[in-house]
Amino acid sequence: MAAASPATLNEVVIKHRSSLHPRPDVTFAYGTAGFRTSADLLDSVIFRVGLLAALRSKKLGGKVIGVMVTASHNPEKDNGVKLVDPMGEMLHSSWEAYATQLANALSAEALIAALQQIILAAEIDLTVPATVVYGHDTRPSCPGLVKALEDGLESIGVKGIAAGLVTTPQLHYLVRCYNTQGTKEAYGEATLEGYYQKLAAAYTTLAKGRHLLPALTIDCANGVGAPALKAFSSVISHDILPLIITRDDTTTRGALNSECGADYVKTKQQAPPGTTLVPYQRYCSYDGDADRIVYYYADDKGVFHLLDGDKIAGLVAGFIMDLVKEAGLELEVGVVQTAYANGASTEYLTNKVPTTCVPTGVKHLHHAAESYPIGVYFEANGHGTVLFSPTALSTIASHPTPSPALANLQAVTEVINQTVGDALSDMLLVETVLLHRKWGPGEWDAAYTDLPNRLVKVFVKDRYAFSTEDAERKVVTPEGLQAGVEAIVGKTEKGRSFVRPSGTEDCVRVYAEAATRELADGESTFSRRRALNEAKQAND
Ligand code: 16G
Ligand code: MG
């Protein structure tokens, strides 16, 4: 057991160390993706995140807290940081304001005062020893920022466990493993080796004896997914999982997320330049921190088809429902989506399973998925996973009648990273379903046809002038905007459109879909102009 820490903050040390990490003249906000901005502005923020992570661990009785330094799909010059709570979930939203408060304290004295306020407000016992595990992606700015984090941890008397270069979902996995080891909820061995072995064992169970599919080509966004995938492929037989790893250059400056990766493919609706799509072969793209994945393929006419998070949700939910039934279990499967889910996917899913729509951001989806015995959640952009409730897990584990379906279901609970969306683990799940169904991408895609859609960014003076309700499907302010959107949508076949302020960029996003490409484009152009006009009025 670690020795108890002193009951008070060492203010001299914190002030001194803080002066080595001066705060730039910028206002920071802990948003959906934690703090994320240009890397050269983040040194002070990350130092202070070290302090906050230590307090969070103390508050939770010494549970291990995670800190991940990454800016996901953002350009290489950016960076970011987010905290991970004990079961591997996102930082509880009640603490986001504390993070913002610390990041914005104007001086070393103000920082101490903010810390004291948080200690008081959250009733934190400083004598509780804290543990923080931290990791980072491949950005060149990471080593310096990790140093700032370590300074923060040291100045509050916490040593920290360095996980090194990891994908975001690996860090989430490690946090959960540390906090559950030795309990009946033990999640796995708290090492990267443990992570790879767990996934490899589960996938081998699911794949063995099946007819192999042709190799899958993976675009790793020139990010941390590349070394992770290579490490994984070295522990699993190539006969079980033939892979072609591309965009794995993590050393050339500027390569990360540049014209590749899940965000590029989803936004541009095209494969990374230079990729020759062999008809009906499977391709997928990870994002820069490997917590998102999209699949795609070309048909025999060379037309590109995207298999995004919605398609993955449909594929996976159907498969799990079938396994549950075949195993003779009664466990409800539910699906959680956001307003971005294509209307065709929502129609397809609601005819099969209970579905819920929640605001954008993993924490909302994760939370809603927890209310189902088996909750499948995916954002259209490829963030997602499957959660099995403790009751579902014990029902599966204790079912008296063994069957192949039961064994497969059990392995599915192991192959999926239940802490957060995980490109590598999601990929294994998709591959599993395709193997079992004997499907290529064309058969998978046949479930429904996406409605043509457009997503545009609108730069406005004040995105905070925009507020929404009904899981972001209705814009409340600026007043009158929703009525304008509805007037047009009402006249459009299969029309749907919404306007929401971005949580990660200084802009407003406008989504529109309709029965035809022409209609969808027309609507989004209209909505964008309209949003712009309204925004201007709101800001005048
Ligand atoms: C963040 C969210 C992601 C969401 C995106 C929306 C997490 C871990 N990530 O990246 O889920 O889709 O923000 O961005 O929650 P936006 O608010 O700028 O549209
Ligand atoms: Mg990401």
Side-chain angles (χ1 to χ4, degrees), residues 509-540:
R509 303 203 195 277
V510 181
Y511 176 90
E513 68 183 26
T516 64
R517 163 67 40 221
E518 294 66 37
L519 284 171
D521 288 351
E523 292 318 307
S524 70
T525 310
F526 166 82
S527 306
R528 182 174 53 178
R529 270 201 220 110
R530 176 103 198 182
L532 262 177
N533 287 338
E534 295 289 347
K536 284 204 182 96
Q537 278 165 26
N539 289 327
D540 281 345

Side-chain angles (χ1 to χ4, degrees), residues 390-410:
T391 319
L393 285 175
S394 66
T395 307
I396 295 167
S398 61
H399 192 57
T401 331
S403 65
L406 189 69
N408 286 330
L409 192 58
Q410 176 88 48

Side-chain angles (χ1 to χ4, degrees), residues 196-219:
Y196 295 125
Q197 293 294 353
K198 179 178 175 177
L199 297 193
Y203 187 72
T204 304
T205 302
L206 289 160
K208 78 173 174 258
R210 309 248 153 209
H211 220 73
L212 271 194
L213 298 167
L216 166 69
T217 303
I218 302 130
D219 147 24

Side-chain angles (χ1 to χ4, degrees), residues 93-403:
S93 52
S94 61
W95 272 58
E96 291 178 358
Y98 294 153
T100 302
Q101 189 184 354
L102 287 188
N104 291 319
L106 289 176
S107 61
E109 287 71 27
L111 177 62
I112 297 285
L115 286 168
Q116 299 291 16
Q117 265 179 27
I118 295 169
I119 292 164
L120 209 64
E123 299 176 356
I124 295 166
D125 175 0
L126 287 177
T127 63
V128 175
T131 310
V132 175
V133 55
Y134 53 93
H136 61 87
D137 72 13
T138 56
R139 281 159 212 274
S141 55
C142 282
L145 292 173
V146 165
K147 184 77 193 49
L149 178 74
E150 289 170 341
D151 269 7
L153 292 173
E154 272 174 32
S155 66
I156 198 165
V158 174
K159 186 76 176 76
I161 306 167
L165 183 66
V166 286
T167 69
T168 293
Q170 284 177 333
L171 199 267
H172 286 250
Y173 164 89
L174 292 174
V175 170
R176 180 136 164 192
C177 289
Y178 278 119
N179 287 310
T180 54
Q181 58 195 1
T183 73
K184 67 178 189 343
E185 275 124 39
Y187 194 64
E189 194 196 301
T191 61
L192 291 184
E193 187 57 26
Y195 168 90
Y196 295 125
Q197 293 294 353
K198 179 178 175 177
L199 297 193
Y203 187 72
T204 304
T205 302
L206 289 160
K208 78 173 174 258
R210 309 248 153 209
H211 220 73
L212 271 194
L213 298 167
L216 166 69
T217 303
I218 302 130
D219 147 24
C220 296
N222 294 321
V224 64
L229 189 56
K230 285 178 189 171
F232 177 70
S233 69
S234 73
V235 305
I236 191 157
S237 158
H238 287 255
D239 299 340
I240 295 262
L241 185 68
L243 301 174
I244 301 167
I245 301 176
T246 69
R247 307 284 167 149
D248 58 346
D249 177 359
T250 56
T251 51
T252 302
R253 283 287 175 117
L256 175 67
N257 296 322
S258 173
E259 304 222 295
C260 59
D263 201 60
Y264 176 91
V265 173
K266 170 76 181 157
T267 322
K268 301 250 176 192
Q269 310 249 338
Q270 66 185 44
T275 318
T276 310
L277 298 181
V278 179
Y280 295 106
Q281 295 295 312
R282 299 171 336 285
Y283 297 80
C284 67
S285 289
Y286 294 1
D287 73 338
D289 62 338
D291 66 350
R292 270 170 69 177
I293 185 169
V294 294
Y295 269 70
Y296 42 97
Y297 70 100
D299 62 23
D300 42 15
K301 296 194 184 67
V303 176
F304 172 88
H305 297 265
L306 182 67
L307 295 155
D308 63 2
D310 299 341
K311 289 274 182 182
I312 298 175
L315 180 79
V316 164
F319 179 66
I320 295 179
M321 282 164 71
D322 286 353
L323 283 185
V324 166
K325 209 166 141 200
E326 279 170 43
L329 292 164
E330 281 191 21
L331 289 169
E332 188 185 42
V333 179
V335 176
V336 184
Q337 302 187 307
T338 71
Y340 287 112
N342 195 280
S345 84
T346 310
E347 193 181 329
Y348 170 79
L349 283 166
T350 43
N351 287 328
K352 292 179 171 291
V353 281
T355 54
T356 319
C357 183
V358 297
T360 305
V362 169
K363 66 180 176 202
H364 299 295
L365 288 113
H366 195 92
H367 186 67
E370 281 174 334
S371 63
Y372 292 112
I374 302 176
V376 177
Y377 75 81
F378 271 91
E379 291 188 303
N381 65 19
H383 258 298
T385 188
V386 183
L387 304 183
F388 291 82
S389 72
T391 319
L393 285 175
S394 66
T395 307
I396 295 167
S398 61
H399 192 57
T401 331
S403 65

